[in-house]
Amino acid sequence: MPGPRLIVFVGNCQLDALANLYRRVAARPEDQVVYLASYRASDAAGCAQVAKADILLRQVLDFAPVVGDMQTRAEVHLVPHLGAPFLWPCTGRPHPYNAPAPSLDAHGPYPAELGDSFLDRLIAAGVPAEEAARIYLETDIATKRRVGRMAEIVLENQRARDRVCGTSFADTISARFRTEALFTSPNHPTPSLTATLATEMFGRMGVASAVLEQIAASPPDGLFPTTETPLHASIISHFGLRFVTPERRYLYFNEGRFTFEEFAVRYMRYEWSQPIAEAFRLFWDGQEDAAIDAFIRAIPTAPRSAVARLVLSELLGARGRMAEALNMARQATELEPENVQCRRRFEWVSARVQEAGSAAVSGAGSGYAPHVPENRNARHKTG
């Protein structure tokens, strides 16, 4: 039997995601899987882990990482950073008012992946929120930011990383970014691209082909924050993006979906729902009774949040409060009629209520296995 291995992933959030996926699907019980952030100087323990590692996955970026060049005896696999900042040419720095929000995200409600330099200037100029959104929508950002040339540079840099790593992700991104969503923000790949990266890297590590096939067949979810950075209409038009329209709604944390214009107005106002964030924090911490009260108070501050209503429906139903649970499930389904989890929850609670008539039903969770959202937003790091 092979002995225990120390497997170290060094890089930004993309390597953190690969480490989490490896733990989930490929690690042996005796393995120790460690993630070290390359954008922070490592302490003595981190240096020792790199030195003693059996397998080291080191991310290749466009700049020298703080961690990753230390001596090691490990089998080393180089992993290219993936990005598409040309689709979001105004991102890269946080909102001017952004501050840590522990109940929501340690990086704040508008970190660099959601930041917008165009709107930042309008904030500094004191332009009203609605007027700013109108100005932004009327501006040809694609031409103003020369995104065609920007895409060329980004892909050239991607090819340079590919050459170092022996990969071909520049070709993958170039061939697919117009027809499918490969990123939810400049540096956060979607599950499909994450699966492509994972199968490439895990295959080099000797992971069984059956595991790789499963990753490819069911791309991993929950490895990156659910929040999506909106795409400007001129970007959609310039690149001929076929998977999205200017009317598309984008998910913001657990508060629901918003159009580009709505997002711009909220950004100008530095708007986010702290009550919703606090309710989810109580829920993730296992304080369910307190979470119920918090959700009831918070939901009016998040009229678009289907997931908040879905979770509250689960919590209420588990306590036999079926009429309230049904109401929340109905609202969640009305907000996101194509959401399979919301629809299944509504159908299940409806059936229980019909079976019991007007009487309360206890043990509501005994026959239904919901998808409960994880705390995925606390990892909203830049790149």
Side-chain angles (χ1 to χ4, degrees):
M1 283 288 293
R5 301 173 299 171
L6 173 58
I7 304 170
V8 179
F9 292 72
V10 177
N12 64 14
C13 59
Q14 295 181 15
L15 271 288
D16 188 11
L18 287 184
N20 285 324
L21 180 59
Y22 189 85
R23 291 187 193 99
R24 185 191 302 177
V25 302
R28 304 169 187 165
E30 66 272 17
D31 287 343
Q32 181 184 4
V33 180
V34 174
Y35 164 69
L36 298 174
S38 61
Y39 48 84
R40 288 197 298 263
S42 185
D43 56 17
C47 294
Q49 287 172 322
V50 170
K52 295 187 300 182
D54 297 293
I55 300 176
L56 174 67
L57 284 86
R58 175 192 161 190
Q59 188 178 44
V60 175
L61 298 131
D62 295 332
F63 52 87
V66 178
V67 177
D69 291 321
M70 294 174 285
Q71 292 296 317
T72 182
R73 63 172 190 171
E75 167 190 316
V76 178
H77 300 281
L78 299 179
V79 185
H81 168 74
L82 308 181
F86 55 87
L87 295 176
W88 296 276
C90 297
T91 57
R93 64 184 185 189
H95 190 290
Y97 302 150
N98 194 62
S103 61
L104 176 72
D105 186 309
H107 296 268
Y110 291 99
E113 289 287 289
L114 295 175
D116 195 294
S117 59
F118 187 93
L119 292 176
D120 291 346
R121 286 193 291 273
L122 298 181
I123 290 172
V127 178
E130 289 81 3
E131 182 181 351
R134 177 186 59 77
I135 292 170
Y136 201 2
L137 285 171
E138 292 175 356
T139 300
D140 185 354
I141 291 295
T143 299
K144 191 178 184 69
R145 294 301 174 97
R146 301 181 62 197
V147 295
R149 178 54 183 153
M150 186 178 179
E152 291 175 357
I153 294 171
V154 167
L155 291 172
E156 286 170 5
N157 291 339
Q158 189 71 60
R159 288 190 179 90
R161 295 193 293 274
D162 282 336
R163 284 193 292 273
V164 173
C165 300
T167 54
S168 57
F169 284 96
D171 294 339
T172 299
I173 294 170
S174 179
R176 293 165 53 185
F177 83 88
R178 289 179 174 85
T179 57
E180 64 177 290
L182 296 179
F183 295 87
T184 58
S185 68
N187 298 286
H188 290 163
T190 56
S192 64
L193 186 57
T194 302
T196 303
L197 179 64
T199 54
E200 173 81 21
M201 294 302 119
F202 293 176
R204 296 182 181 192
M205 297 167 65
V207 172
S209 59
V211 174
L212 303 181
E213 291 169 4
Q214 180 60 34
I215 294 172
S218 301
D221 197 7
L223 297 175
F224 292 97
T226 57
T227 301
E228 302 167 317
T229 305
L231 288 157
H232 192 279
S234 69
I235 302 296
I236 297 171
S237 175
H238 177 88
F239 288 115
L241 304 182
R242 286 178 246 168
F243 61 88
V244 63
T245 67
E247 295 74 33
R248 161 81 178 271
R249 294 180 182 272
Y250 300 86
L251 187 63
Y252 177 78
F253 290 97
N254 287 308
E255 294 184 34
R257 299 182 180 276
F258 302 88
T259 64
F260 185 97
E261 182 176 7
E262 291 167 339
F263 180 90
V265 170
R266 286 164 57 87
Y267 185 93
M268 289 293 297
R269 294 173 176 165
Y270 190 58
E271 183 176 328
W272 61 286
S273 174
Q274 184 169 342
I276 281 288
E278 291 175 348
F280 272 99
R281 178 63 58 187
L282 290 168
F283 170 65
W284 288 319
D285 287 346
Q287 301 180 52
E288 294 189 353
D289 290 331
I292 289 175
D293 294 335
F295 274 118
I296 290 172
R297 292 192 302 269
I299 278 176
T301 72
R304 301 282 182 84
S305 180
V307 67
R309 289 161 172 80
L310 180 63
V311 171
L312 180 56
S313 176
E314 297 291 342
L315 293 173
L316 291 170
R319 286 154 180 78
R321 297 166 63 175
M322 296 303 288
E324 297 167 275
L326 179 60
N327 183 40
M328 286 297 105
R330 178 184 293 109
Q331 290 184 29
T333 305
E334 289 171 350
L335 284 169
E336 295 190 10
E338 297 180 1
N339 187 312
V340 174
Q341 292 297 327
C342 292
R343 190 167 63 250
R344 286 177 178 171
R345 175 63 186 172
F346 175 67
E347 292 171 353
W348 190 89
V349 180
S350 295
R352 302 292 82 73
V353 170
Q354 290 174 3
E355 289 171 3
S358 59
V361 179
S362 61
S366 59
Y368 176 78
H371 174 73
V372 179
E374 301 174 12
N375 182 6
R376 292 176 286 185
N377 294 316
R379 300 192 298 274
H380 212 300
K381 308 178 188 74
T382 301

